[in-house]
Structures are given as structure tokens and as C-alpha cells.
Amino acid sequence: MKTRISKAMATRLIETGIALTSINNLDELLEFIVHEARGLTKADAGSLYIVNGSNLDFLVCQNDTLTRKVGADAERGLFTVYSIPVSKQSLAGYAALTGEALNFPDVYNLPPDAPFSFNKEFDRRNGYRTMSMLNVPMKAPDGAIVGVLQLINSLDHNGEIMPFEDDMVAVVQALASQAAVAVKNAKLTAALMDAHLDTIFRLAVAAEYRDQDTARHIQRISEYTKIIAKSMGLPGRDVILIGHASPMHDVGKLGVPDSILLKPGKLTPEERVEMEKHTVFGGKILAGSESEILRLSESIALTHHEKWDGSGYPYGIKGGSIPIAGRIVAIADVFDALSSPRCYKPAFPMDKVLAILEHDTGIHFDPDVSKVFFGNLDEIQEIHRRMKESG
Ligand SMILES: [Fe+2]
Ligand SMILES: [Fe+2]
């Protein structure tokens, strides 16, 4: 088959390839792949299946005609995530199993000897007519099939349905291979990120357990700080980062002796000095990392006991010179500590907790952060209720 790819198309393919490498979020990436493939082939609709063991998970469905008919919001309700087996019985399954692209002008009139059939259920339910269809396997360079890209109803200038040109098959195959690499990378990145976050979380739990605190405390701190950061207008990325970094605020307690950390009564002034060192220990444990999350954790570990008026520790810095993340964790941590039971005290009643926070605003807490905290009190209390200590 001789392929004629126009210069404009080649340029678009290259641009798409570059764009593919910059998207890390898997869902976003899959939507983008279908969108670009549809743009190249002028397809009214498109779907994407990802290989999951011996199944194909149907994950993306875009359909201009149905979106116009029902609106974008309702459209999402039309498609449900489902799985089909990788087998010769379905068009997508066949493409995934054999690595062959399938191009048919009308899927209602498939060759009688074909092993696959077209499932008309979706069309029937939504009043749609699938006619021309191109199924292209997403093949990675090592030959593994990552998924199947399915393009539906190629449209001409007048919006009439026509077959997908044979030339297009090679173009979509090129895109599908690039997409396969991007999907593999995105999955790998997600797996690494999960492992990274899991390690961080376990480290934080280890530190808190020594202090009779709980894993729940850490999870709640993560949720509170995200709400406050978001409401303060921090960029979305920073909100996510603070949610991952804040659980490690007390990781330096790993360096405080048990005799002090677990002492039931009041600490002597010397013991207090030792206890306060958990901020500096935490900073040291977390220092020098390339990871953005760990760098933010370091800053939080060091500054979550600083106070707005400069009377905190370890450095006694004040006001805006305390990093914003430290100021946010300060109020979240105090709120959670006061409102939760500890081995040395019961939970304070909520009105008492709030009175203390209010009183300490401008002394301990940044007035702006405090304002946002109280502005989101319902949601914060809801998290506190939902993620209560168990047992
Ligand atoms: Fe602390
Ligand atoms: Fe804490």
C-alpha cells in the first residue's frame, strides 16, 4: 500500500507526538489521543480501549453527534466503563489479538466469513448509526499491544459519512504507536508515584505511631491542608503537593527519645527543648531531596511550630517569613490535635477548640489562613467526623 501523507498531516503528527510526551495524567492522555486521531481522520466519533490482562477496558468515548444532541454533561452518562475479552469475536478484540488494523466502510455489512461481528447495542440505545469504522492496535516498539484506537464515521466537507481512506490507516498507526509509548510511560510514572507516596506515607505513620498519634491523624492533616490551600487560591499543583507533603510534618519525632516522647506528664524545660528538636530533625531527615514533595515536606517539618507573632520554634521567625505551607499546617495540626483524643487527654469539645483557634489568630496563626480555615469549617469538621479514630 502506497501512502500519501500531506505535509500538513506530517507536521500535525509530529506536533501530536511532542504533545503526547508532555501529558503525564493517564485519563487526560487517553482523551487527547482520541481527540487527535479524530482530528486527523475527520471522524465523528472515537473510542479507546486499553489492554488489561486478557480484557480490553473501554475507557474513552467521544461522539460529536451525540454530544450535540444531548449536551456534553449528559453525554458522559451515555458511556459506561466496561470490559470485553481480547478475542476474535469483536472488532477491537480482533485488532488487539492479531495486531492488525481493521477498516470497514459499513460495520453493519461485514464480510460474512469474518470471525467478528459488530455489536449494535450502543447504536440502538442512543439512536446512533455507526457506519465506517477503523480499528487500529496501539503497538509499542517492543511489539506489545497496549490498546486499540477505534475511529467511527469519517465525515466529508458536507458532514456526510464516508469510508476511512486507506492512506489514513498508516497515519493512525503512526499516531497509535506514539500513543502506545506515551501510555506505557504514563502508567509507569503513575506506578512510581504510587510507590513514592506509599513510602512517604509509611514513613510518616512510623513517626506518628511513636507519638501515640494515628495514621488517621495524618490522613486528616492531608485533607485539611488541601482544603485550606485550595481556598487560599494556591495553584492546583501546589494544592496537590501540600496534600502529599503535610503528613510528614512530625517525621522528626523519630529522633526524639521515647522517655520524652511518651512521657505521660508535663515535660521539664530541658525535655521540652529536646522535644522541640523534632522540627530540626525532620528538616534533616527530609533535606537534600530532588523530589518536590520532599522539599516541601522539609520546609513544613521545619516551620509548622513557628508562630505568626514570632514566639514559635525552632527559629522564632514571624509573619510572612514563615512559608505559607508551614502556616497552613500549623492551624490544621493544632485543630486536629485539640479535637481528637490522645492517650494523655480526651478530645476537647468543638466549641472549646474553635474558641482557642480564634483566640490564637494573629498570635499563633496567620489571620488570612485562619479566616480561610473558619470559612471552610463545615467541610473540615465533616472530614474530622468521617475520618475518626477507629479502635
Ligand atoms: Fe510537630
Ligand atoms: Fe501532627
Side-chain angles (χ1 to χ4, degrees):
M1 183 179 66
K2 194 170 171 299
T3 308
R4 292 152 308 179
I5 301 177
S6 69
K7 203 175 161 196
M9 200 165 275
T11 308
R12 177 151 185 187
L13 207 51
I14 291 165
E15 282 169 358
T16 304
I18 294 166
L20 280 172
T21 61
S22 67
I23 305 173
N24 290 321
N25 179 289
L26 189 59
D27 295 332
E28 231 176 89
L29 182 67
L30 300 181
E31 289 286 346
F32 177 75
I33 292 164
V34 176
H35 183 264
E36 288 306 292
R38 287 178 52 220
L40 280 165
T41 56
K42 312 272 183 296
D44 182 47
S47 314
L48 197 146
Y49 297 82
I50 288 290
V51 173
N52 181 6
S54 56
N55 285 318
L56 277 176
D57 293 345
F58 175 77
L59 294 181
V60 180
C61 186
Q62 297 173 2
N63 187 311
D64 279 352
T65 299
L66 291 180
T67 305
R68 270 196 301 277
K69 205 159 107 185
V70 298
D73 281 342
E75 188 206 10
R76 258 167 244 131
L78 296 176
F79 314 118
T80 43
V81 176
Y82 65 87
S83 292
I84 56 170
V86 174
S87 75
K88 290 192 175 178
Q89 266 85 60
S90 65
L91 288 143
Y94 187 94
L97 190 68
T98 63
E100 278 172 44
L102 296 174
N103 186 13
F104 292 107
D106 184 359
V107 285
Y108 282 34
N109 290 302
L110 293 172
D113 56 344
F116 37 76
S117 58
F118 175 72
N119 183 351
K120 294 178 187 161
E121 182 49 32
F122 178 86
D123 282 7
R124 229 189 327 259
R125 232 175 340 130
N126 300 302
Y128 190 71
R129 172 65 162 95
T130 301
M131 212 151 138
S132 57
M133 187 192 266
L134 174 58
N135 283 273
V136 176
M138 293 162 62
K139 215 184 279 184
D142 62 0
I145 310 267
V146 172
V148 175
L149 190 52
Q150 189 171 67
L151 298 164
I152 296 159
N153 290 352
S154 183
L155 302 175
D156 67 11
H157 308 301
N158 305 315
E160 297 293 328
I161 300 171
M162 54 178 209
F164 287 92
E165 290 172 31
D166 280 339
D167 285 357
M168 272 303 142
V169 179
V171 174
V172 177
Q173 267 169 335
L175 172 66
S177 311
Q178 289 178 317
V181 175
V183 168
K184 278 187 100 172
N185 287 342
K187 280 185 162 179
L188 200 62
T189 307
L192 279 173
M193 188 67 183
D194 280 351
H196 183 60
L197 294 179
D198 193 44
T199 310
I200 286 172
F201 184 72
R202 280 159 197 269
L203 183 65
V205 170
E208 294 282 341
Y209 268 151
R210 293 199 53 228
D211 191 29
Q212 310 287 314
D213 265 356
T214 67
R216 286 281 184 188
H217 166 65
I218 289 171
Q219 286 164 339
R220 289 191 302 261
I221 292 293
S222 172
E223 296 302 318
Y224 304 147
T225 51
K226 275 191 284 183
I227 293 170
I228 299 169
K230 188 173 172 199
S231 213
M232 295 207 68
L234 296 191
R237 194 180 158 68
D238 291 356
V239 174
I240 294 172
L241 279 176
I242 198 170
H244 291 321
S246 59
M248 283 179 284
H249 59 278
D250 275 342
V251 96
K253 283 182 178 171
L254 287 167
V256 177
D258 276 356
S259 57
I260 295 173
L261 196 61
L262 305 177
K263 186 178 171 180
K266 224 171 132 53
L267 298 179
T268 65
E270 296 75 31
E271 288 168 337
R272 178 139 292 284
V273 169
E274 285 306 306
M275 181 66 172
E276 291 181 356
K277 283 185 187 163
H278 80 274
T279 50
V280 184
F281 291 156
K284 280 193 179 143
I285 291 173
L286 298 162
S289 174
E290 301 257 302
S291 151
E292 261 184 296
I293 297 173
L294 291 187
R295 281 207 303 268
L296 183 60
S297 306
E298 178 192 356
S299 157
I300 289 172
L302 276 173
T303 60
H304 72 283
H305 287 290
E306 297 291 359
K307 294 186 179 177
W308 185 250
D309 67 358
S311 66
Y313 63 88
Y315 301 124
I317 49 174
K318 64 168 157 183
S321 43
I322 307 166
I324 181 70
R327 283 179 265 150
I328 291 173
V329 173
I331 196 164
D333 195 31
V334 172
F335 168 76
D336 202 66
L338 295 177
S339 57
S340 307
R342 290 287 183 273
C343 62
Y344 50 86
K345 70 154 191 66
F348 286 5
M350 195 48 80
D351 51 348
K352 188 174 169 192
V353 173
L354 300 178
I356 294 172
L357 296 186
E358 218 160 333
H359 173 268
D360 283 354
T361 295
I363 303 168
H364 187 162
F365 308 117
D366 173 353
D368 288 340
V369 175
S370 183
K371 195 171 158 203
V372 167
F373 175 91
F374 280 99
N376 288 279
L377 197 55
D378 286 349
E379 208 183 332
I380 288 169
Q381 284 181 311
E382 173 53 31
I383 287 163
H384 190 258
R385 267 190 297 272
R386 190 157 39 83
M387 301 172 75
K388 252 201 163 71
E389 319 290 323
S390 54

